[in-house]
Every structure is written in C-alpha cells, then in structure tokens.
Amino acid sequence: MEDSKLRKENIVWTTSEDYSYIPVINLFDSYNDFEMDYYRMALLGYLYKVLDMEKLFEYLSIHLQKTKLKNEFLKMVELYLDDCFGAEVIKDRPGVSDYRNKFYDKVIKKYEKKTELSVEQELEYVYVSRIKGNFVKCRNVTEDLVNTLRYKRGIKDIDTLINDLNAVFLKYFYANYRSNLKNANYESYLKSGDKENNNNKIDNNKEFDRTRLNFSMRKKHVRDMKHSDLIGDFSIESAEFTKNISEDEKIVDERINDNKARQKLSSNQKIKSMIETRFGESIFPDYYTNGLEKEICTGIHNGIKIHFTEGKFISGKHDKFYSNAINIQREKNLEYYKENELLFRRSINELREILGKKLLLDEEDEFEFTNNGKLIPSKIWKSKYLNDDKIFIKNNQNEIGSISVDILLDASSSQMEREEYVSSQAFIIAEALTSLNIPTRVTGFCNFFNYLVLTQYRDYNDPRAYNNRLFNYKIAGSNRDGLAIKLISRQMDLLEKENKVLIVLSDGKPNDKINLGITGLLNVEGQDYEDEVAVKDTAQEIFNAKLRDKYVLGIFTGEDEDLEIEKKIYGKDFAYIKNIERFSHIIGFFITQVVF
C-alpha cells in the first residue's frame, strides 16, 4: 500500500515538474492497475502544473459537505478534469498517450459485460464509451450528466472550471431538502428510479457520508507561488520515493531513441545549466570534478555527474523562483529555531560541555613529555645516556587540532516537512563543535537528474558565524546516499587529522530513480538507484569509510517504518533521537567514546 502511494506521488511530482508539495492523490480513484493509475497520476501532475489546485481543494472541502453522493461527485470531477485536460497532458508528455488509450480500453473491458453498475461505475463507463465513439444503455440522468460535462469541456482556468463544476453540482448533487427543489438533484433522480432502465440497479444502502477524500485535517497542499512558466519542457528532478518500476512499465518517447550519444552530451549541458541557476555555481573547475567523476562514479554510479556549490549564483544567472524558495525556507527554519531557542541553546551548551571535558584536560595533566614538541635542555642527558627520547614537552590542549568532523545532510525531497528540524539539529552540532575550535564541515546532498549536487554550508576553517548558513537548508530532488558518503569520505582522506568523524543526518531511504520515462526530451546517463541495491551500496560505503579510519554515526531523521533500513545501513552506529532534550547527550557520548 505504501509503495503504491509513493510511486503515485512520484509520478505526480515528475509530471508537474515540482517536488515542493504533497499531492492529494485521492482526488482520483485508485484502480490497482499500474497502467491505469499511471495515466491518472500523470494527469493529476499536469493539473498541479497548470492550475491553482488549492482553489479546487477549497471548493471541494466546502461542497462535499453538501451532498450525500460524495464519491459520485468526485468521480464526476475526475471525469471532467480528464475531458478538459487529457489531450493537453499528452501534448506536454507524448508518451502518456499509450497509457491513456490503455486506460480507456480497460475501463470498457471492465464494465461492458456487467449488468449492475454503481453510480460511479456507470458514470465512468458511459463517459469513456462516448470518448471511444460507442453508445451504451444507461439511466437518462447519467446520459444527461455526461452530455453536460462534454458540452462544457475545453481548456479552463481554475475559476471557470470551478464555476462549471458548481453548475453541475447544483443541478445534480446538491442535497436541497426544500420540497419545491427536491427533484433538482442527482440523488433524487436515482432514488425515484429510471423506468427506462430498471435493469441497472444501484445499491441505495451505500454509506453515502464516506468519501475517499478527507478534508477534516487538511493541510495547505500547495504554496501560494507557481512557477510553471519558469521551467522548460522537461522534468526538473530525477524521481524519488518510488519502489521498482520495471523496464517494460516505462513510458517511452520515440524521439529519445535517436542520436542518444549526442543527446546525452546536450542533456548534461542543459542539466548543468539548470543546476547553476537553481543551486549556484560550482566552487571547483570542470577538470577537477571530471577527475572526481572518473574516480568516484563507478559501478552503479557510472554516468553520474558531480556539482559542488556554496549556493552562490553567477551574476544574472539564477532562477528567481528557486532563490526565492530558499529565502522562504530559510525564514521558516529560523522561525522554528527561534521558537525553540531556549531548548536548542541548552543542547548546544551541554554538547560543548561534554566534549570540552574530554578535550580540555585539568591543569596538572595539561603538559606531558613526548618525543616532539618544545625541547627541554635539562632533559637532553636522558637521550644520550638513557636512550630516552622524551625530552620535549607538549601541551595537550593542542591535541584539539587532531580532530575533524564532517556533517552530511540528506537534502532530498523525502525530508519534506522536516527541513526546520534537520537544519536545527545540524546547527546544534556545528555550533557546539566550532565553539571548541574543532574543524567542522557541513554539506547537504541531493540528486537532480543524473547529477549529485553537494551544497557546502561551511568548510573546516570557516568562521563560526558561517553556521548561520545552515538555515539555508532546502530540500530538492532525490538521493544517492552511497555516492555522497563515498565522495565525502575520500575528501576526508586528504585531511591530516588523527581522528575523523562523519555524522550523517538521513531518513534511511536512499532512492534515486533517474528514468521514469516521462522526462521529455532529456536523455540522461546513469542507472536507477533504489530498493535493496541502494541500501546495500550505502551500507557498503559506510563500511568502506570505517575501513579508511573514519568514525561514522548515522542520525535517523525519518519515519518509524524506515528504521529497519537505517539499521541495515549503519549497524549499531546510529541514533534515533525522538526527544530533542537528549540530542546533545547522545551525540556527545558517541564522539567521546569513539575519539577519546
């Protein structure tokens, strides 16, 4: 059930070219058939792209309370949206055409031999039959309603569409109990019966008050801004959240099959340009990242490109929508931190105190004799006569320089609705560490098509004030945890530090499905990264990092049902911190245990 939901959401996100909302997939019926659901979700994604869906949901949340035929009304809405925008989604995504035809064929095959149909089934059967040019026998009221819908069809703006829906609602579905209007709704028609079509019965004992779409605790699903006019004719992000969509289930656009090598080069250039306008310019020259790709992007990561950024944009080359979205999210992150600042400040102080007790030794233990450091002339004789090389004195406080910490943040769309929490957690750790002058680097990672995008919020030797940049944390795209960990681990090898700690804040769901089949004209390199393959690869890279003398801790930021995956990846070295008041103690305990 959950896999199906995630797959549907992913199709909606990819078709709408936007990952920044939670789609209301229950607006459309579920068919428990991949091809049928695929078409419906592709249509829904297109609606999110071109309509102000929040207005539609506001309308439905009010008017569904005024009819007992809730699901029947939703079916009518579904059919009307299909009639208005079905052809348009095919223009936008030509590969959807086959799925639409299969959808219609399966509907007809499903109902053509049935003698008893529910209201929803009859509406759908008659509508699809009209589309296919067939005539089927039905209740007069059903035929009237379908004819009304088809008469009003055509591309609509949201206000016109709602007006049309409202006219149909008032005529056929409005539960008006005044006697002079009692026969003006669909329920009355159905209860009074249709003498011409007595063979088609309806279960009038159905529990009318239930609906598949529940608005009782509805959140705001769509933000106020729209940006469909700022995006090209291809999908913005590689797919995430999905489980396996096999090769024979993918939509194939025939135009993609020609000149693949040329298109891949062109696609990489287009994607890189998009990344620079959305995430910022690269902090490294091409020759450096090209070398990294040859070294790091092997095996299942072959074909993946790398983009390092600090979130700084080239003058005149940035996407105003995305820079706006980062600023909006920054305000939300800061607001969340300020609302809980007393608690978070206490956590910072506690973590600093726990680490400080280990790092800063008592005065009597502050100095020791070693074979390097400051020469003590009075001890030279020991070297000559006793072969004792410990004729130098060293201040243990200098040992603080032998530790470095990397914090790696999963910045993919699966962290949606947790951005404020994750940014505050990262800030607590970074603030405590840098207050002790421990070199600390913080990097966020996500995948955008076949690019791994790493956003560096602070580097090891940056001033402590740079910690505030962590509130720029904004999710996007999907995630190849294994590749990100592999890359950061290799970079950590270059540090001349005795103790290297890697802390990964992730939800335990490595998932990067590059090719959904509905990415327009872009033909990208890279293999899909999902399911057990992704989990095993991430676990292997954690193991490899430990073999290369890194101390790795996973901080779980996901849902309970994904906890087992986190355990598979990190083994015993992970923390699931439900109570933020224990956060500093758990992090401090881990660092002191593994390092000292």
Side-chain angles (χ1 to χ4, degrees):
M1 180 71 74
E2 184 65 18
D3 290 351
S4 175
K5 178 176 179 291
L6 294 178
R7 180 179 294 177
K8 288 179 181 179
E9 288 177 343
N10 193 59
I11 295 168
V12 176
W13 279 317
T14 305
T15 311
S16 67
E17 302 175 341
D18 187 359
Y19 273 71
S20 62
Y21 62 94
I22 301 175
V24 184
I25 59 176
N26 288 338
L27 176 63
F28 288 168
D29 221 338
S30 179
Y31 295 88
N32 297 317
D33 177 286
F34 175 80
E35 292 176 331
M36 298 179 77
D37 287 334
Y38 202 124
Y39 169 62
R40 276 299 191 242
M41 292 302 103
L43 174 61
L44 182 59
Y46 182 75
L47 296 176
Y48 271 102
K49 181 178 179 180
V50 300
L51 293 177
D52 183 350
M53 293 296 281
E54 184 65 17
K55 276 191 176 182
L56 178 60
F57 293 133
E58 291 291 348
Y59 169 79
L60 292 177
S61 67
I62 295 171
H63 286 71
L64 278 175
Q65 307 306 313
K66 300 178 182 179
T67 180
K68 291 182 178 180
L69 295 169
K70 292 177 171 46
N71 284 331
E72 290 79 359
F73 178 59
L74 285 176
K75 176 58 69 175
M76 185 275 296
V77 173
E78 179 181 339
L79 299 177
Y80 187 47
L81 292 172
D82 180 84
D83 211 25
C84 291
F85 296 96
E88 296 306 306
V89 71
I90 290 173
K91 291 179 183 178
D92 190 60
R93 304 282 183 178
V96 176
S97 178
D98 288 342
Y99 280 77
R100 189 189 193 201
N101 291 333
K102 289 176 182 178
F103 177 91
Y104 290 155
D105 291 341
K106 288 183 179 183
V107 168
I108 290 176
K109 185 176 181 180
K110 181 179 179 180
Y111 298 137
E112 62 184 352
K113 293 183 179 179
K114 287 190 175 183
T115 57
E116 295 185 6
L117 299 176
S118 69
V119 176
E120 295 170 76
Q121 291 171 340
E122 186 174 271
L123 277 171
E124 188 165 53
Y125 182 37
V126 173
Y127 165 76
V128 171
S129 296
R130 293 288 190 274
I131 294 284
K132 302 294 284 186
N134 302 328
F135 176 84
V136 294
K137 205 171 184 182
C138 63
R139 301 174 185 84
N140 288 338
V141 66
T142 301
E143 186 172 4
D144 289 344
L145 178 54
V146 171
N147 288 339
T148 300
L149 292 178
R150 303 229 66 209
Y151 176 76
K152 292 178 175 290
R153 74 182 184 275
I155 304 172
K156 308 282 184 179
D157 60 66
I158 188 62
D159 294 324
T160 305
L161 187 143
I162 288 175
N163 286 336
D164 289 348
L165 289 176
N166 200 47
V168 174
F169 176 83
L170 291 173
K171 181 176 181 180
Y172 295 98
F173 294 93
Y174 185 42
N176 191 317
Y177 296 104
R178 289 183 294 174
S179 59
N180 63 328
L181 293 176
K182 189 172 183 180
N183 290 326
N185 58 68
Y186 198 11
E187 183 182 358
S188 302
Y189 273 107
L190 297 175
K191 288 185 176 180
S192 63
D194 190 330
K195 294 181 181 179
E196 296 181 15
N197 297 288
N198 273 334
N199 291 332
N200 291 332
K201 297 179 180 178
I202 297 176
D203 180 9
N204 284 322
N205 294 320
K206 180 179 178 180
E207 189 176 355
F208 287 109
D209 290 335
R210 290 203 172 178
T211 174
R212 65 174 182 267
L213 193 58
N214 182 10
F215 289 101
S216 59
M217 296 181 67
R218 188 172 65 93
K219 294 181 178 180
K220 195 172 183 68
H221 296 286
V222 187
R223 62 179 190 289
D224 294 331
M225 295 182 296
K226 289 176 64 178
H227 67 290
S228 56
D229 56 328
L230 300 177
I231 304 168
D233 295 329
F234 35 77
S235 167
I236 287 184
E237 327 223 16
S238 58
E240 197 190 17
F241 298 144
T242 59
K243 293 297 181 181
N244 184 52
I245 299 179
S246 63
E247 291 298 320
D248 61 335
E249 292 174 329
K250 294 178 181 175
I251 296 176
V252 178
D253 189 330
E254 293 179 357
R255 294 171 295 178
I256 294 178
N257 293 327
D258 299 328
N259 304 316
K260 284 190 174 181
R262 178 176 56 82
Q263 287 191 20
K264 284 178 180 178
L265 178 61
S266 175
S267 296
N268 285 336
Q269 292 170 343
K270 288 180 181 178
I271 296 168
K272 183 177 180 180
S273 178
M274 292 168 65
I275 287 172
E276 288 176 340
T277 63
R278 288 161 171 78
F279 297 94
E281 65 177 318
S282 176
I283 59 177
F284 298 122
D286 288 344
Y287 71 84
Y288 177 80
T289 51
N290 290 341
L292 270 181
E293 289 161 8
K294 289 179 181 178
E295 178 188 356
I296 303 295
C297 302
T298 58
I300 194 168
H301 305 300
N302 187 41
I304 302 300
K305 312 293 285 182
I306 296 172
H307 183 79
F308 280 96
T309 182
E310 292 181 339
K312 298 177 181 178
F313 296 94
I314 302 171
S315 179
K317 189 178 180 181
H318 71 282
D319 188 315
K320 292 182 180 178
F321 170 80
Y322 281 91
S323 59
N324 235 5
I326 292 172
N327 291 333
I328 291 171
Q329 187 59 51
R330 176 180 172 83
E331 292 303 315
K332 290 180 180 179
N333 294 342
L334 281 169
E335 183 180 359
Y336 176 78
Y337 179 83
K338 289 176 181 176
E339 287 174 354
N340 302 278
E341 187 167 11
L342 186 62
L343 175 60
F344 292 153
R345 277 291 164 195
R346 186 163 65 241
S347 293
I348 292 168
N349 292 334
E350 288 173 350
L351 180 55
R352 180 172 57 225
E353 184 179 351
I354 291 169
L355 297 176
K357 285 180 179 179
K358 292 290 184 179
L359 291 169
L360 306 176
L361 304 178
D362 294 335
E363 285 188 8
E364 60 270 19
D365 297 323
E366 188 172 351
F367 297 97
E368 67 174 336
F369 290 105
T370 65
N371 56 8
N372 62 79
K374 183 179 179 181
L375 177 66
I376 306 299
S378 62
K379 301 290 183 181
I380 294 176
W381 67 271
K382 286 189 175 184
S383 175
K384 183 176 181 180
Y385 296 104
L386 302 177
N387 289 325
D388 184 356
D389 293 333
K390 293 183 178 180
I391 59 176
F392 301 86
I393 194 168
K394 192 171 185 179
N395 186 339
N396 278 328
Q397 286 184 331
N398 291 331
E399 288 298 315
I400 195 168
S402 67
I403 304 168
S404 69
V405 178
D406 268 84
I407 303 171
L408 187 60
L409 308 178
D410 175 359
S412 69
S413 293
S414 59
Q415 295 282 27
M416 187 178 293
E417 297 188 343
R418 292 192 289 268
E419 289 158 294
E420 298 92 335
Y421 186 64
V422 172
S423 62
S424 291
Q425 284 186 326
F427 181 81
I428 290 171
I429 302 172
E431 189 73 357
L433 293 173
T434 54
S435 70
L436 294 170
N437 297 319
I438 297 176
T440 304
R441 179 174 63 168
V442 186
T443 309
F445 73 95
C446 67
N447 278 75
F448 183 96
F449 282 117
N450 62 328
Y451 267 78
L452 172 65
V453 180
L454 297 113
T455 301
Q456 185 173 282
Y457 297 104
R458 63 161 293 119
D459 206 350
Y460 298 112
N461 298 317
D462 282 338
R464 186 176 169 187
Y466 273 49
N467 293 337
N468 285 319
R469 295 180 60 194
L470 287 167
F471 294 113
N472 291 340
Y473 173 77
K474 173 81 173 68
I475 58 96
S478 49
N479 55 311
R480 285 184 176 247
D481 294 43
L483 182 58
I485 291 166
K486 182 179 182 180
L487 180 53
I488 293 297
S489 177
R490 295 295 177 88
Q491 287 189 322
M492 292 170 71
D493 288 341
L494 303 177
L495 292 171
E496 295 182 359
K497 302 293 180 183
E498 183 179 344
N499 299 296
K500 303 170 186 177
V501 179
L502 173 60
I503 301 174
V504 184
L505 278 70
S506 176
D507 63 357
K509 292 198 304 191
N511 200 307
D512 178 30
K513 187 165 182 60
I514 293 176
N515 296 304
L516 253 189
I518 50 177
T519 53
L521 297 179
L522 285 181
N523 185 13
V524 298
E525 298 177 278
Q527 301 176 50
D528 291 336
Y529 185 77
E530 53 187 349
D531 299 327
E532 279 301 309
V533 172
V535 172
K536 288 180 179 179
D537 177 74
T538 306
Q540 183 63 52
E541 292 305 332
I542 293 294
F543 181 73
N544 292 344
K546 292 177 180 178
L547 285 180
R548 298 165 77 94
D549 298 322
K550 316 293 190 313
Y551 301 105
V552 183
L553 172 66
I555 298 179
F556 183 63
T557 59
E559 304 295 337
D560 289 353
E561 58 264 27
D562 299 314
L563 193 55
E564 288 303 314
I565 300 176
E566 184 84 354
K567 291 178 182 178
K568 287 182 181 179
I569 294 173
Y570 292 94
K572 295 180 180 179
D573 296 324
F574 83 95
Y576 182 22
I577 308 171
K578 291 186 176 181
N579 185 353
I580 192 65
E581 293 185 2
R582 298 188 65 243
F583 184 80
S584 58
H585 294 280
I586 293 172
I587 303 301
F589 178 79
F590 172 81
I591 294 177
T592 56
Q593 289 299 306
V594 299
V595 174
F596 304 104

